[in-house]
Amino acid sequence: CVQETGYQQWYQRRVHGVNVKKALKGLVVMSEELEHLANSLYDNQVPKIWEEKGFLCLKPLASWIVDLNERIDFLNQWIKEGTPKVFWISRFFFPQAFITGTLQNYARQHVIAIDRLTFIFNILDHYAVEDVKNLQEKPEDGCYIYGMYLEGARWDNRKHVLAESKPKELYTDVPLIHLKPEVDRTPPQEGIYNCPIYKVLSRAGTLSTTGHSTNFVMFMELPSKDTEDKWIKAGVAMFLSLRYLSLIHI
């Protein structure tokens, strides 16, 4: 939470249009940077100087502002009310750090080397998306996460497996998921699809100074009756953010 709050506070100080207003009034010189900023605001596009320093996002400016405010509200609620029972993972600036932190907390609690830990992914599809906020208890180990979307497939709540998308259905909500650490776990060799999770739909990313991709987050095992080849050919993946306002608002 401290790291995420630091990101957001630093970023908020840079998301303002004071100098643009002054330049338009003739009080300061309209530099090339300010001109690009003003043009982007007019065109409902995220200014380049904000995009370069901010969270990865493909949304237009209006939706981007909503996204930014939701991230700030999520962190403010965390600070005021304590650690959430369930985490809206798409609100994190750096979700990879949160995932690693979950493993570190378990390793410290049980005095186990973190290298021996991996996640079990329990899909809690008996919870409706709108009921997630009503969860009263945290899991004993690991964490609950939500706020992800599937492209190229959907989750079948009745059969509890990955299934083909319905006609004209581009993206679907992913149910609540319990990330549960386990020691010396042997990953299943069949009956699952190792689904990649990305921050945004472009799927492209670069390696940051932390050693993490700027877009790829992690692989998640999703139960499937079909072979992995089918979903790989279909390009099935999960995303934390779409090109428009999120389907999930809780």
Side-chain angles (χ1 to χ4, degrees), residues 11 45-47 50-52 54-68 71 90-91 199-202 214-215 240-246:
Y11 198 48
Q45 298 298 317
V46 180
W50 296 357
E51 191 178 75
E52 290 174 349
F55 54 89
L56 195 59
C57 186
L58 301 179
K59 298 176 183 177
L61 182 60
S63 298
W64 181 89
I65 291 293
V66 173
D67 198 324
L68 176 62
R71 290 167 185 262
S90 56
R91 300 302 90 184
K199 294 180 183 178
V200 296
L201 296 173
S202 64
T214 55
N215 196 358
L240 304 187
S241 177
L242 303 179
R243 291 184 184 273
Y244 43 83
L245 288 178
S246 302

PDB file of all heavy atoms in Angstrom, residues 11 45-47 50-52 54-68 71 90-91 199-202 214-215 240-246:
ATOM      1  N   TYR A  11       2.348  10.965  -8.928  1.00  0.00           N
ATOM      2  CA  TYR A  11       1.695  11.156 -10.218  1.00  0.00           C
ATOM      3  C   TYR A  11       0.676  12.291 -10.160  1.00  0.00           C
ATOM      4  O   TYR A  11       0.569  13.085 -11.092  1.00  0.00           O
ATOM      5  CB  TYR A  11       1.023   9.850 -10.625  1.00  0.00           C
ATOM      6  CG  TYR A  11       0.692   9.790 -12.092  1.00  0.00           C
ATOM      7  CD1 TYR A  11       1.647  10.131 -13.045  1.00  0.00           C
ATOM      8  CD2 TYR A  11      -0.562   9.384 -12.523  1.00  0.00           C
ATOM      9  CE1 TYR A  11       1.354  10.073 -14.387  1.00  0.00           C
ATOM     10  CE2 TYR A  11      -0.852   9.315 -13.865  1.00  0.00           C
ATOM     11  CZ  TYR A  11       0.103   9.664 -14.794  1.00  0.00           C
ATOM     12  OH  TYR A  11      -0.188   9.605 -16.130  1.00  0.00           O
ATOM     13  N   GLN A  45      -7.410  13.025 -25.571  1.00  0.00           N
ATOM     14  CA  GLN A  45      -6.331  12.052 -25.546  1.00  0.00           C
ATOM     15  C   GLN A  45      -5.448  12.295 -24.321  1.00  0.00           C
ATOM     16  O   GLN A  45      -5.294  13.428 -23.881  1.00  0.00           O
ATOM     17  CB  GLN A  45      -5.478  12.152 -26.819  1.00  0.00           C
ATOM     18  CG  GLN A  45      -6.239  11.864 -28.102  1.00  0.00           C
ATOM     19  CD  GLN A  45      -6.783  10.444 -28.147  1.00  0.00           C
ATOM     20  OE1 GLN A  45      -6.087   9.497 -27.785  1.00  0.00           O
ATOM     21  NE2 GLN A  45      -8.021  10.294 -28.597  1.00  0.00           N
ATOM     22  N   VAL A  46      -4.880  11.218 -23.788  1.00  0.00           N
ATOM     23  CA  VAL A  46      -3.986  11.358 -22.641  1.00  0.00           C
ATOM     24  C   VAL A  46      -2.692  12.018 -23.108  1.00  0.00           C
ATOM     25  O   VAL A  46      -2.042  11.518 -24.039  1.00  0.00           O
ATOM     26  CB  VAL A  46      -3.664   9.987 -22.007  1.00  0.00           C
ATOM     27  CG1 VAL A  46      -2.730  10.160 -20.813  1.00  0.00           C
ATOM     28  CG2 VAL A  46      -4.944   9.278 -21.592  1.00  0.00           C
ATOM     29  N   PRO A  47      -2.299  13.152 -22.536  1.00  0.00           N
ATOM     30  CA  PRO A  47      -1.059  13.828 -22.952  1.00  0.00           C
ATOM     31  C   PRO A  47       0.145  12.914 -22.825  1.00  0.00           C
ATOM     32  O   PRO A  47       0.234  12.097 -21.913  1.00  0.00           O
ATOM     33  CB  PRO A  47      -0.968  15.010 -21.981  1.00  0.00           C
ATOM     34  CG  PRO A  47      -2.379  15.267 -21.567  1.00  0.00           C
ATOM     35  CD  PRO A  47      -3.027  13.917 -21.512  1.00  0.00           C
ATOM     36  N   TRP A  50       2.005  12.766 -19.517  1.00  0.00           N
ATOM     37  CA  TRP A  50       1.308  12.008 -18.480  1.00  0.00           C
ATOM     38  C   TRP A  50       1.423  10.511 -18.766  1.00  0.00           C
ATOM     39  O   TRP A  50       1.587   9.707 -17.867  1.00  0.00           O
ATOM     40  CB  TRP A  50      -0.157  12.398 -18.413  1.00  0.00           C
ATOM     41  CG  TRP A  50      -0.415  13.817 -18.007  1.00  0.00           C
ATOM     42  CD1 TRP A  50       0.516  14.751 -17.654  1.00  0.00           C
ATOM     43  CD2 TRP A  50      -1.691  14.459 -17.920  1.00  0.00           C
ATOM     44  NE1 TRP A  50      -0.100  15.945 -17.365  1.00  0.00           N
ATOM     45  CE2 TRP A  50      -1.447  15.801 -17.509  1.00  0.00           C
ATOM     46  CE3 TRP A  50      -2.996  14.057 -18.153  1.00  0.00           C
ATOM     47  CZ2 TRP A  50      -2.470  16.720 -17.331  1.00  0.00           C
ATOM     48  CZ3 TRP A  50      -4.024  14.972 -17.970  1.00  0.00           C
ATOM     49  CH2 TRP A  50      -3.774  16.282 -17.559  1.00  0.00           C
ATOM     50  N   GLU A  51       1.282  10.164 -20.044  1.00  0.00           N
ATOM     51  CA  GLU A  51       1.311   8.758 -20.460  1.00  0.00           C
ATOM     52  C   GLU A  51       2.652   8.109 -20.142  1.00  0.00           C
ATOM     53  O   GLU A  51       2.715   6.954 -19.711  1.00  0.00           O
ATOM     54  CB  GLU A  51       1.031   8.690 -21.956  1.00  0.00           C
ATOM     55  CG  GLU A  51       0.762   7.305 -22.498  1.00  0.00           C
ATOM     56  CD  GLU A  51       0.457   7.346 -23.980  1.00  0.00           C
ATOM     57  OE1 GLU A  51       1.402   7.530 -24.776  1.00  0.00           O
ATOM     58  OE2 GLU A  51      -0.725   7.218 -24.353  1.00  0.00           O
ATOM     59  N   GLU A  52       3.737   8.859 -20.366  1.00  0.00           N
ATOM     60  CA  GLU A  52       5.079   8.324 -20.147  1.00  0.00           C
ATOM     61  C   GLU A  52       5.363   8.044 -18.676  1.00  0.00           C
ATOM     62  O   GLU A  52       6.096   7.108 -18.340  1.00  0.00           O
ATOM     63  CB  GLU A  52       6.120   9.303 -20.691  1.00  0.00           C
ATOM     64  CG  GLU A  52       6.130   9.394 -22.213  1.00  0.00           C
ATOM     65  CD  GLU A  52       7.059  10.477 -22.719  1.00  0.00           C
ATOM     66  OE1 GLU A  52       7.537  11.285 -21.869  1.00  0.00           O
ATOM     67  OE2 GLU A  52       7.312  10.540 -23.933  1.00  0.00           O
ATOM     68  N   GLY A  54       2.847   7.742 -16.232  1.00  0.00           N
ATOM     69  CA  GLY A  54       1.715   7.162 -15.516  1.00  0.00           C
ATOM     70  C   GLY A  54       1.546   5.675 -15.720  1.00  0.00           C
ATOM     71  O   GLY A  54       2.417   4.986 -16.247  1.00  0.00           O
ATOM     72  N   PHE A  55       0.394   5.167 -15.285  1.00  0.00           N
ATOM     73  CA  PHE A  55       0.073   3.755 -15.436  1.00  0.00           C
ATOM     74  C   PHE A  55      -0.268   3.449 -16.886  1.00  0.00           C
ATOM     75  O   PHE A  55      -0.757   4.298 -17.621  1.00  0.00           O
ATOM     76  CB  PHE A  55      -1.092   3.372 -14.510  1.00  0.00           C
ATOM     77  CG  PHE A  55      -2.319   4.224 -14.673  1.00  0.00           C
ATOM     78  CD1 PHE A  55      -3.308   3.887 -15.585  1.00  0.00           C
ATOM     79  CD2 PHE A  55      -2.500   5.377 -13.908  1.00  0.00           C
ATOM     80  CE1 PHE A  55      -4.445   4.670 -15.743  1.00  0.00           C
ATOM     81  CE2 PHE A  55      -3.623   6.168 -14.055  1.00  0.00           C
ATOM     82  CZ  PHE A  55      -4.602   5.820 -14.968  1.00  0.00           C
ATOM     83  N   LEU A  56       0.002   2.214 -17.297  1.00  0.00           N
ATOM     84  CA  LEU A  56      -0.253   1.799 -18.668  1.00  0.00           C
ATOM     85  C   LEU A  56      -1.752   1.772 -18.918  1.00  0.00           C
ATOM     86  O   LEU A  56      -2.512   1.143 -18.171  1.00  0.00           O
ATOM     87  CB  LEU A  56       0.348   0.414 -18.904  1.00  0.00           C
ATOM     88  CG  LEU A  56       0.504  -0.057 -20.344  1.00  0.00           C
ATOM     89  CD1 LEU A  56       1.399   0.901 -21.125  1.00  0.00           C
ATOM     90  CD2 LEU A  56       1.080  -1.468 -20.379  1.00  0.00           C
ATOM     91  N   CYS A  57      -2.206   2.466 -19.975  1.00  0.00           N
ATOM     92  CA  CYS A  57      -3.642   2.576 -20.234  1.00  0.00           C
ATOM     93  C   CYS A  57      -3.868   2.966 -21.694  1.00  0.00           C
ATOM     94  O   CYS A  57      -3.127   3.782 -22.249  1.00  0.00           O
ATOM     95  CB  CYS A  57      -4.254   3.623 -19.304  1.00  0.00           C
ATOM     96  SG  CYS A  57      -6.057   3.731 -19.389  1.00  0.00           S
ATOM     97  N   LEU A  58      -4.885   2.385 -22.325  1.00  0.00           N
ATOM     98  CA  LEU A  58      -5.214   2.681 -23.719  1.00  0.00           C
ATOM     99  C   LEU A  58      -6.498   3.494 -23.840  1.00  0.00           C
ATOM    100  O   LEU A  58      -6.970   3.746 -24.945  1.00  0.00           O
ATOM    101  CB  LEU A  58      -5.368   1.377 -24.515  1.00  0.00           C
ATOM    102  CG  LEU A  58      -4.150   0.445 -24.550  1.00  0.00           C
ATOM    103  CD1 LEU A  58      -4.480  -0.810 -25.351  1.00  0.00           C
ATOM    104  CD2 LEU A  58      -2.939   1.144 -25.142  1.00  0.00           C
ATOM    105  N   LYS A  59      -7.064   3.913 -22.729  1.00  0.00           N
ATOM    106  CA  LYS A  59      -8.345   4.618 -22.735  1.00  0.00           C
ATOM    107  C   LYS A  59      -8.184   6.072 -23.166  1.00  0.00           C
ATOM    108  O   LYS A  59      -7.119   6.667 -22.994  1.00  0.00           O
ATOM    109  CB  LYS A  59      -8.961   4.579 -21.331  1.00  0.00           C
ATOM    110  CG  LYS A  59      -9.280   3.183 -20.841  1.00  0.00           C
ATOM    111  CD  LYS A  59      -9.785   3.206 -19.410  1.00  0.00           C
ATOM    112  CE  LYS A  59     -10.048   1.796 -18.890  1.00  0.00           C
ATOM    113  NZ  LYS A  59     -10.473   1.783 -17.481  1.00  0.00           N
ATOM    114  N   PRO A  60      -9.250   6.660 -23.711  1.00  0.00           N
ATOM    115  CA  PRO A  60      -9.215   8.103 -23.985  1.00  0.00           C
ATOM    116  C   PRO A  60      -9.184   8.881 -22.672  1.00  0.00           C
ATOM    117  O   PRO A  60      -9.411   8.309 -21.597  1.00  0.00           O
ATOM    118  CB  PRO A  60     -10.510   8.341 -24.764  1.00  0.00           C
ATOM    119  CG  PRO A  60     -11.411   7.215 -24.356  1.00  0.00           C
ATOM    120  CD  PRO A  60     -10.505   6.042 -24.126  1.00  0.00           C
ATOM    121  N   LEU A  61      -8.922  10.174 -22.760  1.00  0.00           N
ATOM    122  CA  LEU A  61      -8.674  10.969 -21.563  1.00  0.00           C
ATOM    123  C   LEU A  61      -9.811  10.916 -20.539  1.00  0.00           C
ATOM    124  O   LEU A  61      -9.557  10.763 -19.338  1.00  0.00           O
ATOM    125  CB  LEU A  61      -8.419  12.428 -21.966  1.00  0.00           C
ATOM    126  CG  LEU A  61      -8.096  13.394 -20.822  1.00  0.00           C
ATOM    127  CD1 LEU A  61      -6.841  12.962 -20.087  1.00  0.00           C
ATOM    128  CD2 LEU A  61      -7.943  14.809 -21.353  1.00  0.00           C
ATOM    129  N   ALA A  62     -11.060  11.052 -20.988  1.00  0.00           N
ATOM    130  CA  ALA A  62     -12.188  11.072 -20.049  1.00  0.00           C
ATOM    131  C   ALA A  62     -12.250   9.787 -19.229  1.00  0.00           C
ATOM    132  O   ALA A  62     -12.398   9.816 -18.005  1.00  0.00           O
ATOM    133  CB  ALA A  62     -13.498  11.290 -20.802  1.00  0.00           C
ATOM    134  N   SER A  63     -12.111   8.632 -19.905  1.00  0.00           N
ATOM    135  CA  SER A  63     -12.125   7.341 -19.196  1.00  0.00           C
ATOM    136  C   SER A  63     -10.869   7.168 -18.360  1.00  0.00           C
ATOM    137  O   SER A  63     -10.895   6.542 -17.292  1.00  0.00           O
ATOM    138  CB  SER A  63     -12.237   6.193 -20.204  1.00  0.00           C
ATOM    139  OG  SER A  63     -13.439   6.272 -20.930  1.00  0.00           O
ATOM    140  N   TRP A  64      -9.762   7.710 -18.840  1.00  0.00           N
ATOM    141  CA  TRP A  64      -8.499   7.637 -18.109  1.00  0.00           C
ATOM    142  C   TRP A  64      -8.590   8.376 -16.777  1.00  0.00           C
ATOM    143  O   TRP A  64      -8.092   7.904 -15.752  1.00  0.00           O
ATOM    144  CB  TRP A  64      -7.391   8.228 -18.981  1.00  0.00           C
ATOM    145  CG  TRP A  64      -6.023   8.206 -18.398  1.00  0.00           C
ATOM    146  CD1 TRP A  64      -5.097   7.207 -18.495  1.00  0.00           C
ATOM    147  CD2 TRP A  64      -5.396   9.246 -17.635  1.00  0.00           C
ATOM    148  NE1 TRP A  64      -3.936   7.551 -17.846  1.00  0.00           N
ATOM    149  CE2 TRP A  64      -4.089   8.799 -17.306  1.00  0.00           C
ATOM    150  CE3 TRP A  64      -5.801  10.496 -17.209  1.00  0.00           C
ATOM    151  CZ2 TRP A  64      -3.205   9.580 -16.565  1.00  0.00           C
ATOM    152  CZ3 TRP A  64      -4.922  11.281 -16.471  1.00  0.00           C
ATOM    153  CH2 TRP A  64      -3.635  10.821 -16.151  1.00  0.00           C
ATOM    154  N   ILE A  65      -9.249   9.538 -16.781  1.00  0.00           N
ATOM    155  CA  ILE A  65      -9.433  10.311 -15.551  1.00  0.00           C
ATOM    156  C   ILE A  65     -10.279   9.531 -14.551  1.00  0.00           C
ATOM    157  O   ILE A  65      -9.988   9.485 -13.349  1.00  0.00           O
ATOM    158  CB  ILE A  65     -10.098  11.676 -15.845  1.00  0.00           C
ATOM    159  CG1 ILE A  65      -9.132  12.574 -16.622  1.00  0.00           C
ATOM    160  CG2 ILE A  65     -10.526  12.365 -14.559  1.00  0.00           C
ATOM    161  CD1 ILE A  65      -7.912  13.022 -15.860  1.00  0.00           C
ATOM    162  N   VAL A  66     -11.338   8.885 -15.046  1.00  0.00           N
ATOM    163  CA  VAL A  66     -12.179   8.049 -14.177  1.00  0.00           C
ATOM    164  C   VAL A  66     -11.340   6.933 -13.575  1.00  0.00           C
ATOM    165  O   VAL A  66     -11.426   6.630 -12.379  1.00  0.00           O
ATOM    166  CB  VAL A  66     -13.366   7.462 -14.972  1.00  0.00           C
ATOM    167  CG1 VAL A  66     -14.144   6.461 -14.118  1.00  0.00           C
ATOM    168  CG2 VAL A  66     -14.293   8.565 -15.444  1.00  0.00           C
ATOM    169  N   ASP A  67     -10.504   6.307 -14.407  1.00  0.00           N
ATOM    170  CA  ASP A  67      -9.629   5.223 -13.960  1.00  0.00           C
ATOM    171  C   ASP A  67      -8.677   5.717 -12.873  1.00  0.00           C
ATOM    172  O   ASP A  67      -8.494   5.066 -11.832  1.00  0.00           O
ATOM    173  CB  ASP A  67      -8.831   4.694 -15.153  1.00  0.00           C
ATOM    174  CG  ASP A  67      -8.239   3.314 -14.917  1.00  0.00           C
ATOM    175  OD1 ASP A  67      -7.836   3.049 -13.765  1.00  0.00           O
ATOM    176  OD2 ASP A  67      -8.172   2.512 -15.857  1.00  0.00           O
ATOM    177  N   LEU A  68      -8.068   6.881 -13.090  1.00  0.00           N
ATOM    178  CA  LEU A  68      -7.136   7.451 -12.111  1.00  0.00           C
ATOM    179  C   LEU A  68      -7.830   7.710 -10.780  1.00  0.00           C
ATOM    180  O   LEU A  68      -7.298   7.376  -9.709  1.00  0.00           O
ATOM    181  CB  LEU A  68      -6.541   8.749 -12.659  1.00  0.00           C
ATOM    182  CG  LEU A  68      -5.621   9.533 -11.712  1.00  0.00           C
ATOM    183  CD1 LEU A  68      -4.391   8.704 -11.332  1.00  0.00           C
ATOM    184  CD2 LEU A  68      -5.195  10.857 -12.346  1.00  0.00           C
ATOM    185  N   ARG A  71      -8.452   4.516  -8.858  1.00  0.00           N
ATOM    186  CA  ARG A  71      -7.231   4.020  -8.234  1.00  0.00           C
ATOM    187  C   ARG A  71      -6.951   4.775  -6.931  1.00  0.00           C
ATOM    188  O   ARG A  71      -6.585   4.171  -5.913  1.00  0.00           O
ATOM    189  CB  ARG A  71      -6.049   4.189  -9.197  1.00  0.00           C
ATOM    190  CG  ARG A  71      -6.102   3.268 -10.392  1.00  0.00           C
ATOM    191  CD  ARG A  71      -5.097   3.683 -11.467  1.00  0.00           C
ATOM    192  NE  ARG A  71      -5.237   2.874 -12.662  1.00  0.00           N
ATOM    193  CZ  ARG A  71      -4.491   1.817 -12.975  1.00  0.00           C
ATOM    194  NH1 ARG A  71      -3.517   1.454 -12.152  1.00  0.00           N
ATOM    195  NH2 ARG A  71      -4.674   1.132 -14.075  1.00  0.00           N
ATOM    196  N   SER A  90      -6.847  -4.597 -10.685  1.00  0.00           N
ATOM    197  CA  SER A  90      -6.630  -3.678 -11.800  1.00  0.00           C
ATOM    198  C   SER A  90      -6.416  -2.238 -11.347  1.00  0.00           C
ATOM    199  O   SER A  90      -6.094  -1.375 -12.158  1.00  0.00           O
ATOM    200  CB  SER A  90      -7.802  -3.734 -12.785  1.00  0.00           C
ATOM    201  OG  SER A  90      -9.020  -3.472 -12.124  1.00  0.00           O
ATOM    202  N   ARG A  91      -6.583  -1.970 -10.054  1.00  0.00           N
ATOM    203  CA  ARG A  91      -6.369  -0.611  -9.540  1.00  0.00           C
ATOM    204  C   ARG A  91      -4.912  -0.374  -9.138  1.00  0.00           C
ATOM    205  O   ARG A  91      -4.544   0.751  -8.812  1.00  0.00           O
ATOM    206  CB  ARG A  91      -7.252  -0.343  -8.318  1.00  0.00           C
ATOM    207  CG  ARG A  91      -8.754  -0.455  -8.543  1.00  0.00           C
ATOM    208  CD  ARG A  91      -9.260   0.475  -9.621  1.00  0.00           C
ATOM    209  NE  ARG A  91      -9.223  -0.173 -10.927  1.00  0.00           N
ATOM    210  CZ  ARG A  91      -9.525   0.423 -12.058  1.00  0.00           C
ATOM    211  NH1 ARG A  91      -9.866   1.699 -12.073  1.00  0.00           N
ATOM    212  NH2 ARG A  91      -9.466  -0.226 -13.200  1.00  0.00           N
ATOM    213  N   LYS A 199      -1.697  -6.099 -18.551  1.00  0.00           N
ATOM    214  CA  LYS A 199      -2.350  -4.886 -18.041  1.00  0.00           C
ATOM    215  C   LYS A 199      -3.338  -4.327 -19.062  1.00  0.00           C
ATOM    216  O   LYS A 199      -4.441  -3.939 -18.708  1.00  0.00           O
ATOM    217  CB  LYS A 199      -1.308  -3.830 -17.683  1.00  0.00           C
ATOM    218  CG  LYS A 199      -0.405  -4.192 -16.516  1.00  0.00           C
ATOM    219  CD  LYS A 199       0.582  -3.069 -16.243  1.00  0.00           C
ATOM    220  CE  LYS A 199       1.546  -3.435 -15.124  1.00  0.00           C
ATOM    221  NZ  LYS A 199       2.537  -2.357 -14.894  1.00  0.00           N
ATOM    222  N   VAL A 200      -2.910  -4.247 -20.332  1.00  0.00           N
ATOM    223  CA  VAL A 200      -3.763  -3.663 -21.377  1.00  0.00           C
ATOM    224  C   VAL A 200      -3.807  -4.557 -22.603  1.00  0.00           C
ATOM    225  O   VAL A 200      -3.010  -5.493 -22.753  1.00  0.00           O
ATOM    226  CB  VAL A 200      -3.261  -2.253 -21.785  1.00  0.00           C
ATOM    227  CG1 VAL A 200      -3.370  -1.290 -20.613  1.00  0.00           C
ATOM    228  CG2 VAL A 200      -1.828  -2.297 -22.304  1.00  0.00           C
ATOM    229  N   LEU A 201      -4.712  -4.243 -23.530  1.00  0.00           N
ATOM    230  CA  LEU A 201      -5.005  -5.102 -24.668  1.00  0.00           C
ATOM    231  C   LEU A 201      -3.881  -5.195 -25.700  1.00  0.00           C
ATOM    232  O   LEU A 201      -3.874  -6.125 -26.513  1.00  0.00           O
ATOM    233  CB  LEU A 201      -6.279  -4.600 -25.374  1.00  0.00           C
ATOM    234  CG  LEU A 201      -7.571  -4.671 -24.548  1.00  0.00           C
ATOM    235  CD1 LEU A 201      -8.708  -3.984 -25.304  1.00  0.00           C
ATOM    236  CD2 LEU A 201      -7.937  -6.111 -24.251  1.00  0.00           C
ATOM    237  N   SER A 202      -2.961  -4.271 -25.701  1.00  0.00           N
ATOM    238  CA  SER A 202      -1.893  -4.290 -26.702  1.00  0.00           C
ATOM    239  C   SER A 202      -0.991  -5.512 -26.562  1.00  0.00           C
ATOM    240  O   SER A 202      -0.364  -5.941 -27.534  1.00  0.00           O
ATOM    241  CB  SER A 202      -1.045  -3.023 -26.593  1.00  0.00           C
ATOM    242  OG  SER A 202      -0.391  -2.976 -25.342  1.00  0.00           O
ATOM    243  N   THR A 214       6.566  -4.239 -18.605  1.00  0.00           N
ATOM    244  CA  THR A 214       5.666  -3.105 -18.361  1.00  0.00           C
ATOM    245  C   THR A 214       4.218  -3.477 -18.646  1.00  0.00           C
ATOM    246  O   THR A 214       3.313  -2.712 -18.323  1.00  0.00           O
ATOM    247  CB  THR A 214       6.058  -1.909 -19.248  1.00  0.00           C
ATOM    248  OG1 THR A 214       6.080  -2.336 -20.630  1.00  0.00           O
ATOM    249  CG2 THR A 214       7.430  -1.370 -18.861  1.00  0.00           C
ATOM    250  N   ASN A 215       3.977  -4.659 -19.229  1.00  0.00           N
ATOM    251  CA  ASN A 215       2.607  -5.050 -19.562  1.00  0.00           C
ATOM    252  C   ASN A 215       2.242  -6.432 -19.014  1.00  0.00           C
ATOM    253  O   ASN A 215       1.210  -6.596 -18.380  1.00  0.00           O
ATOM    254  CB  ASN A 215       2.408  -5.024 -21.076  1.00  0.00           C
ATOM    255  CG  ASN A 215       0.941  -5.026 -21.484  1.00  0.00           C
ATOM    256  OD1 ASN A 215       0.047  -5.087 -20.648  1.00  0.00           O
ATOM    257  ND2 ASN A 215       0.673  -4.948 -22.773  1.00  0.00           N
ATOM    258  N   LEU A 240      -6.241  -6.509 -17.334  1.00  0.00           N
ATOM    259  CA  LEU A 240      -6.652  -5.709 -16.185  1.00  0.00           C
ATOM    260  C   LEU A 240      -7.392  -4.451 -16.610  1.00  0.00           C
ATOM    261  O   LEU A 240      -8.034  -3.800 -15.790  1.00  0.00           O
ATOM    262  CB  LEU A 240      -5.426  -5.313 -15.344  1.00  0.00           C
ATOM    263  CG  LEU A 240      -4.533  -6.449 -14.848  1.00  0.00           C
ATOM    264  CD1 LEU A 240      -3.480  -5.896 -13.890  1.00  0.00           C
ATOM    265  CD2 LEU A 240      -5.345  -7.538 -14.171  1.00  0.00           C
ATOM    266  N   SER A 241      -7.276  -4.083 -17.879  1.00  0.00           N
ATOM    267  CA  SER A 241      -7.903  -2.846 -18.350  1.00  0.00           C
ATOM    268  C   SER A 241      -8.299  -2.990 -19.811  1.00  0.00           C
ATOM    269  O   SER A 241      -7.568  -3.596 -20.606  1.00  0.00           O
ATOM    270  CB  SER A 241      -6.933  -1.664 -18.188  1.00  0.00           C
ATOM    271  OG  SER A 241      -7.485  -0.472 -18.702  1.00  0.00           O
ATOM    272  N   LEU A 242      -9.446  -2.398 -20.168  1.00  0.00           N
ATOM    273  CA  LEU A 242      -9.926  -2.417 -21.551  1.00  0.00           C
ATOM    274  C   LEU A 242      -9.704  -1.036 -22.177  1.00  0.00           C
ATOM    275  O   LEU A 242      -9.043  -0.187 -21.589  1.00  0.00           O
ATOM    276  CB  LEU A 242     -11.409  -2.805 -21.572  1.00  0.00           C
ATOM    277  CG  LEU A 242     -11.740  -4.150 -20.906  1.00  0.00           C
ATOM    278  CD1 LEU A 242     -13.232  -4.405 -20.960  1.00  0.00           C
ATOM    279  CD2 LEU A 242     -10.987  -5.302 -21.557  1.00  0.00           C
ATOM    280  N   ARG A 243     -10.263  -0.825 -23.347  1.00  0.00           N
ATOM    281  CA  ARG A 243     -10.097   0.468 -24.027  1.00  0.00           C
ATOM    282  C   ARG A 243     -11.170   1.469 -23.638  1.00  0.00           C
ATOM    283  O   ARG A 243     -11.198   2.602 -24.124  1.00  0.00           O
ATOM    284  CB  ARG A 243     -10.132   0.281 -25.549  1.00  0.00           C
ATOM    285  CG  ARG A 243      -8.925  -0.453 -26.104  1.00  0.00           C
ATOM    286  CD  ARG A 243      -8.990  -0.521 -27.624  1.00  0.00           C
ATOM    287  NE  ARG A 243      -7.887  -1.302 -28.165  1.00  0.00           N
ATOM    288  CZ  ARG A 243      -6.682  -0.810 -28.458  1.00  0.00           C
ATOM    289  NH1 ARG A 243      -6.448   0.474 -28.242  1.00  0.00           N
ATOM    290  NH2 ARG A 243      -5.745  -1.591 -28.950  1.00  0.00           N
ATOM    291  N   TYR A 244     -12.087   1.042 -22.800  1.00  0.00           N
ATOM    292  CA  TYR A 244     -13.175   1.916 -22.384  1.00  0.00           C
ATOM    293  C   TYR A 244     -13.398   1.695 -20.899  1.00  0.00           C
ATOM    294  O   TYR A 244     -12.654   0.971 -20.255  1.00  0.00           O
ATOM    295  CB  TYR A 244     -14.451   1.605 -23.186  1.00  0.00           C
ATOM    296  CG  TYR A 244     -14.724   0.130 -23.352  1.00  0.00           C
ATOM    297  CD1 TYR A 244     -15.368  -0.600 -22.346  1.00  0.00           C
ATOM    298  CD2 TYR A 244     -14.318  -0.538 -24.508  1.00  0.00           C
ATOM    299  CE1 TYR A 244     -15.605  -1.950 -22.498  1.00  0.00           C
ATOM    300  CE2 TYR A 244     -14.551  -1.900 -24.650  1.00  0.00           C
ATOM    301  CZ  TYR A 244     -15.201  -2.602 -23.659  1.00  0.00           C
ATOM    302  OH  TYR A 244     -15.439  -3.942 -23.791  1.00  0.00           O
ATOM    303  N   LEU A 245     -14.433   2.317 -20.326  1.00  0.00           N
ATOM    304  CA  LEU A 245     -14.687   2.169 -18.898  1.00  0.00           C
ATOM    305  C   LEU A 245     -14.882   0.723 -18.528  1.00  0.00           C
ATOM    306  O   LEU A 245     -15.475  -0.062 -19.287  1.00  0.00           O
ATOM    307  CB  LEU A 245     -15.943   2.984 -18.499  1.00  0.00           C
ATOM    308  CG  LEU A 245     -15.781   4.487 -18.476  1.00  0.00           C
ATOM    309  CD1 LEU A 245     -17.108   5.148 -18.125  1.00  0.00           C
ATOM    310  CD2 LEU A 245     -14.723   4.914 -17.476  1.00  0.00           C
ATOM    311  N   SER A 246     -14.401   0.331 -17.361  1.00  0.00           N
ATOM    312  CA  SER A 246     -14.461  -1.046 -16.905  1.00  0.00           C
ATOM    313  C   SER A 246     -15.887  -1.545 -16.830  1.00  0.00           C
ATOM    314  O   SER A 246     -16.825  -0.790 -16.543  1.00  0.00           O
ATOM    315  CB  SER A 246     -13.797  -1.177 -15.533  1.00  0.00           C
ATOM    316  OG  SER A 246     -12.461  -0.748 -15.576  1.00  0.00           O
TER     317      SER A 246
END
